[in-house]
Amino acid sequence: MDTESLTRKYYGYLKTLPNIKTFSIISSIESALIILRSFQLTFDYLYSFIVYASLIFVIFKGKIKLSLFIIDLSGASYLILSVISIPTIFAFGFFMPLMAYILLGSYRELSSIFLSFMVSLSPILFYLKYVTIYTLYIFIIALIFHIYIYTVNRKGVKILGFKSVQVAIPFITAVTEKNKAPLENFLNFISTKTNLNILIYKLDEYLFTIPQIHFGIFDSVGSSRFVYEMENRIGKNIIVFHGPGSHELDLASSIEVNKVLNEIIKELPQNDWNKAKFYSIISEKIGNFEITSLEFDKFKISFLERPEFGIDDLPSSLWKYMLISNNYVIDCHNSFMVKQYTREEIESLKAFIMEQHGIKEEKKLFLGYSEGKLEGKCEGLCDNRIKVVTFSDGSRKISIVYLYANNSTAELNAALKNALKNVVDKVILVTPDDHSCTGISLGLTYSPAKLCDEIINKAIELVKTSLSNMKEVKEIKYKLIKVKGVKIIGKMISIMLKALEDVGSYTSKTFWIPLISPYLLLIIILLLQNLVKL
């Protein structure tokens, strides 16, 4: 299973909680009922719940939604037990494992267990006649949870050398608390140093780049915002393309992003650019790949599409062949992956990259550029801008439609091509595999750009504008910038994915064990009490 699919599979288990307003309404209703019930029973019934709820707010450190979530669940159980012949104190232990699970995002495992234990124990001050049986009850619940987490951690240690929780907590914290520091510190720790290559080619005032970087992991972590940072620091007349590689080429932190950008900015004004001549625009089909190339005398830029089966993260090993041949391929990321690459497909790409065409007749290259913004919101876009660049060799016109998205559905890609088939000879949808809008909440996972009328209409407008702006390119230059000692995730990502598959499979099947333990224990206690009475 590939990196993206595996991440989607387990990240997709996380669901969005209802909003605070919903929880507040439920809490208000429950509070009113508990107050009314305390008049019928005793005010200790009310005081115990106030102490319990107050401590939950304290240990959750201002996370109102999560606090109300636990309080509402416990409040409902508390009310139910008050009308049946089961001591109400046991309601405070029902959601202790769930509380401990959630606290793992903010505390170490032993601290999470201890805090959930103490909060669940606190109401015993008002139910002293149950102190022995209830303390034993929640102690056993805590022990079961501890043993379960120990088994999960052991699996992580065997594969990664780290406890599973040590790996999971920084990721959870980055999503839930918008605090990327723990995750980037962890990624820095496991990262490996390498030298990266950044190809930049310049067509008059327009810059295009293919960095040996993958734009992940998610949100603002690692190199997820590399595209935006490069645009902000270099200027708007730049398009950043996605080359071969997956999450193994993620930069470990924003520090590494700045390191790479600083080197690029330092190199841009230098006079060591290589001048080139334009030959032609070539379209060809190799196996399942459709390839459109801008061929120059000293280098070649090839846009790769795979319309039938999707395209998503070509192997990073292709960089070796690109650097040898100066044939640089762009992973267009314009059709959601439905079938993995075969070995034969990758070998055919290697052969294509290494193929040399010799000297050809020089032609004029024409370029037209336009950029616009969508007024509405289209699903799957991380930014509402659209860039269009149209190339022509005098006989054919090729338009690149650049969307800030993680990928695209086949439907959107096909609709764009169909809408512009009579305007230009070929339309190529390109996305940079944008991860900046993934992982921004517990409910938002990886989502490709989907069919949206506004995208189609704006693309038509911008392509026509680019055609009207077309002019002959007077200067073609390129250079390869090498950045040394950059920290990337590297091969560790493969080990992490192995852990994600094994540990994720185990926990998805067994996470319920601690959650049901309070109910099973209560049933056992009640049965034993009945036996003693008999």
Side-chain angles (χ1 to χ4, degrees):
M1 186 176 288
D2 67 288
T3 305
E4 300 290 349
S5 298
L6 195 55
T7 306
R8 288 186 191 101
K9 177 181 176 182
Y10 289 108
Y11 189 55
Y13 287 143
L14 299 171
K15 303 298 181 184
T16 306
L17 292 174
N19 58 39
I20 290 179
K21 183 179 180 180
T22 302
F23 282 131
S24 299
I25 293 171
I26 295 171
S27 293
S28 299
I29 295 171
E30 286 182 349
S31 298
L33 292 173
I34 288 171
I35 292 171
L36 291 174
R37 193 76 175 116
S38 67
F39 280 105
Q40 297 174 327
L41 300 174
T42 168
F43 279 103
D44 285 346
Y45 180 76
L46 173 62
Y47 299 150
S48 59
F49 191 78
I50 291 174
V51 169
Y52 174 79
S54 300
L55 290 175
I56 284 178
F57 278 114
V58 170
I59 65 171
F60 277 100
K61 299 178 179 178
K63 297 174 186 172
I64 307 299
K65 186 186 290 189
L66 288 174
S67 299
L68 290 174
F69 175 56
I70 296 294
I71 291 168
D72 289 351
L73 289 174
S74 301
S77 302
Y78 196 49
L79 286 166
I80 291 170
L81 292 192
S82 71
V83 296
I84 59 179
S85 58
I86 297 175
T88 52
I89 182 66
F90 286 100
F92 295 112
F94 284 177
F95 300 102
M96 178 180 154
L98 179 60
M99 195 190 314
Y101 270 134
I102 297 173
L103 288 174
L104 285 173
S106 303
Y107 303 92
R108 296 179 182 274
E109 55 259 44
L110 288 179
S111 298
S112 299
I113 296 170
F114 176 75
L115 288 172
S116 60
F117 175 85
M118 293 306 297
V119 170
S120 299
L121 182 64
S122 60
I124 200 65
L125 294 170
F126 303 94
Y127 294 91
L128 291 177
K129 69 176 182 178
Y130 298 108
V131 64
T132 302
I133 188 65
Y134 181 69
T135 303
L136 180 62
Y137 170 68
I138 60 171
F139 176 79
I140 294 173
I141 294 171
L143 184 62
I144 290 170
F145 187 85
H146 176 65
I147 292 171
Y148 176 73
I149 294 297
Y150 174 76
T151 64
V152 173
N153 280 335
R154 277 191 63 190
K155 289 184 175 292
V157 171
K158 285 181 180 178
I159 301 170
L160 285 169
F162 301 98
K163 292 180 178 180
S164 301
V165 172
Q166 280 181 287
V167 180
I169 287 176
F171 281 90
I172 295 170
T173 302
V175 176
T176 60
E177 299 183 19
K178 296 301 175 187
N179 180 7
K180 69 178 183 179
L183 178 54
E184 289 199 340
N185 289 338
F186 173 74
L187 295 176
N188 264 309
F189 180 71
I190 66 168
S191 65
T192 182
K193 281 190 175 183
T194 191
N195 300 329
L196 296 179
N197 298 280
I198 316 292
L199 174 76
I200 298 182
Y201 60 102
K202 190 174 183 181
L203 307 178
D204 288 341
E205 70 268 31
Y206 299 102
L207 284 171
F208 304 87
T209 181
I210 308 173
Q212 194 177 4
I213 294 169
H214 183 265
F215 311 126
I217 294 179
F218 59 80
D219 196 9
S220 62
V221 178
S223 45
S224 296
R225 292 195 59 81
F226 183 88
V227 173
Y228 300 94
E229 292 295 330
M230 194 166 189
E231 289 178 340
N232 289 338
R233 295 186 62 178
I234 293 176
K236 67 176 184 178
N237 288 345
I238 185 168
I239 294 183
V240 184
F241 293 119
H242 185 296
S246 187
H247 286 283
E248 72 276 2
L249 291 179
D250 286 341
L251 302 187
S253 68
S254 53
I255 293 173
E256 302 304 308
V257 170
N258 288 328
K259 180 177 182 178
V260 173
L261 289 176
N262 288 340
E263 189 66 23
I264 293 172
I265 291 168
K266 185 182 80 173
E267 287 291 328
L268 285 178
Q270 303 301 318
N271 295 319
D272 56 348
W273 289 79
N274 301 292
K275 292 187 177 181
K277 299 176 182 178
F278 177 68
Y279 279 165
S280 61
I281 296 173
I282 303 170
S283 293
E284 54 194 309
K285 186 172 175 62
I286 298 178
N288 295 315
F289 290 100
E290 290 184 5
I291 304 175
T292 304
S293 302
L294 299 177
E295 190 172 19
F296 303 88
D297 63 332
K298 295 178 182 177
F299 71 105
K300 187 176 179 181
I301 303 297
S302 300
F303 294 87
L304 268 61
E305 302 179 88
R306 191 168 172 255
E308 189 176 354
F309 299 116
I311 185 166
D312 193 324
D313 292 349
L314 294 163
S316 56
S317 59
L318 294 179
W319 270 97
K320 171 185 174 182
Y321 302 91
M322 288 160 53
L323 293 169
I324 293 171
S325 66
N326 263 3
N327 181 2
Y328 296 91
V329 301
I330 293 168
D331 179 346
C332 289
H333 253 82
N334 62 6
S335 185
F336 198 70
M337 180 83 86
V338 295
K339 182 181 179 181
Q340 295 301 306
Y341 308 119
T342 64
R343 181 178 177 181
E344 290 74 20
E345 283 181 302
I346 300 306
E347 291 301 317
S348 68
L349 283 183
K350 291 177 182 178
F352 163 77
I353 292 170
M354 294 301 294
E355 186 179 6
Q356 299 296 318
H357 293 281
I359 299 173
K360 295 184 177 181
E361 180 185 354
E362 183 181 357
K363 291 183 179 180
K364 292 181 179 180
L365 173 63
F366 299 88
L367 182 152
Y369 178 85
S370 61
E371 181 177 338
K373 288 186 177 182
L374 300 175
E375 296 299 326
K377 187 173 183 180
C378 291
E379 188 176 352
L381 297 186
C382 300
D383 190 288
N384 66 352
R385 288 176 295 157
I386 299 180
K387 292 182 176 183
V388 170
V389 57
T390 299
F391 299 104
S392 175
D393 60 1
S395 58
R396 300 183 68 213
K397 295 182 178 70
I398 307 295
S399 288
I400 308 298
V401 177
Y402 187 93
L403 299 180
Y404 293 81
N406 182 260
N407 205 311
S408 165
T409 60
E411 291 77 14
L412 173 59
N413 196 359
L416 270 174
K417 292 179 184 296
N418 185 60
L420 288 158
K421 65 183 179 182
N422 296 322
V423 181
V424 290
D425 297 287
K426 187 175 180 65
V427 176
I428 303 173
L429 173 61
V430 175
T431 77
D433 191 16
D434 195 337
H435 284 67
S436 66
C437 60
T438 61
I440 60 174
S441 72
L442 287 180
L444 185 57
T445 61
Y446 296 83
S447 177
K450 297 184 178 178
L451 182 58
C452 177
D453 288 341
E454 191 171 353
I455 292 177
I456 304 299
N457 295 333
K458 180 59 72 172
I460 294 171
E461 174 193 328
L462 293 175
V463 168
K464 289 179 178 178
T465 302
S466 72
L467 288 170
S468 65
N469 292 337
M470 287 196 81
K471 62 181 181 177
E472 182 184 348
V473 175
K474 298 297 184 181
E475 186 176 44
I476 301 169
K477 300 191 296 185
Y478 76 98
K479 74 187 307 183
L480 188 67
I481 300 172
K482 293 184 181 291
V483 188
K484 297 180 179 179
V486 182
K487 289 183 177 180
I488 61 171
I489 306 302
K491 293 181 179 179
M492 190 64 180
I493 191 68
S494 299
I495 302 173
M496 290 175 69
L497 289 173
K498 168 67 174 170
L500 181 63
E501 178 68 20
D502 290 359
V503 178
S505 176
Y506 173 75
T507 54
S508 65
K509 295 174 183 176
T510 59
F511 74 94
W512 52 269
I513 293 174
L515 296 178
I516 67 166
S517 63
Y519 309 101
L520 294 178
L521 278 172
L522 181 58
I523 291 171
I524 291 170
I525 289 170
L526 294 175
L527 289 174
L528 289 174
Q529 285 180 336
N530 287 333
L531 286 174
V532 170
K533 288 178 182 179
L534 292 174

